[in-house]
Amino acid sequence: MQISSDLIRGHLELVVLKLIIEKDHYGYELANAVAHRTKQAFSINEATLYAIMQRLEKRGLIQSYLGAKSHGGKRRYYAITSLGQAYYETKLKEWEQLKSIMTQLLEGDHEND
Amino acid sequence: MKTIERFVKRMFKQKNPKQDDQEAMQKMIEMLKEKVEDLKETGLTEEEAIQKTIVEFGEIDAFFQPAVRREKRRYKRQKTVRHYRNDLVFSLLASLLIIAIFALINIFYIPFESYGPWFVIPSIGVLFWPLSLLYKWLNKKGDSD
């Protein structure tokens, strides 16, 4: 099943940050990682990814550097900043909260509450 | 690889002709070229890789926020059904006045006997004004119902 992009859009920043925290990535690698981890259930196109990267970089949450030459050419890698790390942790808490709220609201039988 | 550059440049020009953001554009070109390289490693030819990259790119609107254009539209006056009705009433009164003037001239200065009721002819012309506004009003009413 394809997940509508509206639903996940707000959380993509968090996903991207998480991937970058694990290891420095370059653009296409990120898109690939998303598709791979979700077993192709969700893929992120370059336009969206690019918009997110720009936003994160402008706010100083990630920074980019040119990596060593490999294969065809240099790749621009993205690394997390300390600000980004802090932002990620706040956002992660927010997500946990949202998750538990949604679970409470949508799952289980509350008719007799 | 020139294809990728042209693709990105054209896109930037289309979406955002005023703002010349070279840095953002270069980064996007870089990112897409990386993708092409990666795809080539999986066994695609360069041409196929470029094709695939462009096809999969998706909609760029997320990046450009058309904030300026939207602002302008908000300030434009929205005509409601009431405005159209007022226009119609105004045009009706005004055309009645004009017809009355013609009729008065017709009666008092240029007698019926020799020229006939000629004021009818300009009156018909003037009546096209309220007629067109009646059309607009009915249209607007149809929209809002």
Side-chain angles (χ1 to χ4, degrees), chain B residues 86-104 119-134:
Chain B
N86 288 346
D87 287 352
L88 177 66
V89 170
F90 173 77
S91 72
L92 268 174
L93 290 177
S95 23
L96 280 180
L97 212 62
I98 294 170
I99 292 167
I101 290 169
F102 277 126
L104 280 177
F119 81 93
V120 172
I121 293 162
S123 299
I124 290 173
V126 168
L127 280 172
F128 273 92
W129 179 25
L131 185 67
S132 69
L133 289 177
L134 175 71

Side-chain angles (χ1 to χ4, degrees), chain A residues 26-29 32 45-51 53-55 57-58 64 66 70-78, chain B residues 12 21 23-28 30-32 34-35 37-39 41 52-53 56-63 65:
Chain A
Y26 59 90
Y28 178 55
E29 210 177 15
N32 245 349
N45 67 35
E46 270 71 31
T48 316
L49 181 64
Y50 180 78
M53 306 301 278
Q54 281 287 312
R55 212 161 44 224
E57 202 178 1
K58 247 182 210 158
S64 68
L66 278 177
S70 70
H71 321 296
K74 284 180 181 169
R75 285 178 174 24
R76 182 173 288 282
Y77 283 88
Y78 290 88
Chain B
F12 266 73
D21 198 346
E23 205 197 324
M25 196 164 80
Q26 284 309 324
K27 278 204 181 136
M28 189 183 286
E30 238 170 48
M31 193 165 118
L32 292 183
E34 287 166 9
K35 178 168 178 178
E37 292 297 335
D38 280 17
L39 286 175
E41 267 166 50
K52 195 169 155 65
T53 304
E56 285 179 353
F57 183 75
E59 267 301 308
I60 199 194
D61 286 332
F63 177 58
Q65 288 143 354

Side-chain angles (χ1 to χ4, degrees), chain A:
Chain A
M1 191 185 82
Q2 276 284 327
I3 297 192
S4 90
S5 55
D6 276 0
L7 263 180
I8 207 169
R9 187 169 294 146
H11 306 292
L12 279 177
E13 266 185 17
L14 192 61
V15 171
V16 168
L17 283 174
K18 153 97 172 142
L19 288 170
I20 293 176
I21 285 171
E22 283 176 9
K23 137 179 163 347
D24 295 0
H25 280 78
Y26 59 90
Y28 178 55
E29 210 177 15
L30 279 171
N32 245 349
V34 169
H36 190 71
R37 281 194 192 188
T38 57
K39 299 197 173 63
Q40 320 295 327
F42 182 75
S43 65
I44 177 171
N45 67 35
E46 270 71 31
T48 316
L49 181 64
Y50 180 78
I52 294 170
M53 306 301 278
Q54 281 287 312
R55 212 161 44 224
L56 292 177
E57 202 178 1
K58 247 182 210 158
R59 282 152 65 190
L61 304 176
I62 56 175
Q63 57 190 10
S64 68
Y65 62 91
L66 278 177
K69 208 167 180 131
S70 70
H71 321 296
K74 284 180 181 169
R75 285 178 174 24
R76 182 173 288 282
Y77 283 88
Y78 290 88
I80 196 85
T81 64
S82 50
L83 192 63
Q85 184 80 42
Y87 181 80
Y88 171 74
E89 272 148 32
T90 335
K91 278 282 163 186
L92 189 65
K93 272 193 202 123
E94 219 173 86
W95 162 246
E96 301 279 355
Q97 225 173 344
L98 174 68
K99 201 164 64 176
S100 79
I101 287 169
M102 290 307 278
T103 316
Q104 279 171 26
L105 287 175
L106 297 180
E107 282 163 30
D109 188 9
H110 295 282
E111 216 158 287
N112 302 319
D113 281 2

